[in-house]
Amino acid sequence: MIFARHGELILVFSSGSWAMSDEKEKRPSWDTPESEVTNRIFTAANVVSFIRLCMVPVYLALLLDGHDILATFIFALAASTDFIDGQLARRTHTVSRLGRLLDPAVDRALMVFGVVGLLLVGRLPVWIVALVIARDLLLIVGGAYLGARYKARVAVIFPGKVATTLLFVGFAGLLLNWPLVAGLAVCDFAWLPGFNAEPCSWGIWFVYAGLILCIYTTTVYVLRGIAAMNQVKAERAAAKAQAAKAE
């Protein structure tokens, strides 16, 4: 599997995107040169990532046991500290290969177990869970293919991070399940909470906003991935033609 995280393609998938670029592009402020990446395991940033990862099963156990407030607190704490491990690694010059895997892995675990937990307690319809997981799988498989076959990467765009933030805020609201707001009563479909007449958590509107932004960012990543693939194909074809002419 491959994670895209902070503008680069690495093993597993991150907060929201494939990674591709070429050396002529301006390097994003968060993109650490490969020469500065360390093989160290026990760094402060990795410890923070590991603690965040351990919060995931704790959150799920609390939720399934009916402790909504505690589950919300643990989930919100794990989600809101997303930036800490990355910033800590860069500011202390301890960006590690393990951290490049662990940090986005935590984000994916939070996303997947977040929606699955909400599905299990009946606060999120199946189609939203399927859409979130399908998007992640598309980006994982697409990113893996792009990186393995074409050695290309797609830079993370800011709306991708915003989409993830909106989803996490929405999930936290659904976990807390308070206060409930009246539905718009524009339909009778049970699988459209907020649009039917049933009261629901305010968090559902953040989830809808996040999903809309996710669809937009996924489209951008797919188009850029295709463009990167075509560019590499053209460069390889030109190189072959030049080599044949030289012979």
Side-chain angles (χ1 to χ4, degrees), residues 87-170:
Q87 286 293 324
L88 188 60
R90 286 184 290 275
R91 292 182 183 278
T92 58
H93 304 290
T94 56
V95 174
S96 67
R97 288 177 175 80
L98 175 61
R100 283 180 161 184
L101 295 174
L102 191 57
D103 186 13
V106 175
D107 293 340
R108 290 306 91 202
L110 275 172
M111 183 69 73
V112 171
F113 285 100
V115 295
V116 169
L118 288 168
L119 174 65
L120 293 176
V121 296
R123 296 177 198 166
L124 207 59
V126 175
W127 71 269
I128 292 181
V129 178
L131 183 60
V132 170
I133 294 177
R135 174 184 182 267
D136 277 6
L137 287 176
L138 171 64
L139 295 178
I140 288 169
V141 173
Y145 178 78
L146 190 66
R149 181 156 185 176
Y150 297 99
K151 308 300 181 185
R153 46 184 218 170
V154 174
V156 174
I157 60 176
F158 181 70
K161 301 296 291 182
V162 175
T164 301
T165 300
L166 288 171
L167 288 175
F168 280 158
V169 171

Side-chain angles (χ1 to χ4, degrees), residues 157-243:
I157 60 176
F158 181 70
K161 301 296 291 182
V162 175
T164 301
T165 300
L166 288 171
L167 288 175
F168 280 158
V169 171
F171 295 160
L174 290 169
L175 287 170
L176 186 60
N177 206 32
W178 182 88
L180 299 180
V181 296
L184 298 179
V186 296
C187 69
D188 295 325
F189 302 127
W191 48 272
L192 281 177
F195 290 99
N196 55 36
E198 295 296 321
C200 64
S201 168
W202 54 268
I204 193 65
W205 299 110
F206 281 85
V207 172
Y208 287 144
L211 289 177
I212 292 172
L213 201 51
C214 277
I215 292 172
Y216 163 72
T217 56
T218 301
T219 302
V220 172
Y221 293 136
V222 169
L223 293 177
R224 291 186 179 183
I226 293 173
M229 184 173 61
N230 290 336
Q231 180 181 351
V232 173
K233 285 181 178 179
E235 290 174 353
R236 289 177 178 176
K240 284 184 179 180
Q242 188 173 3

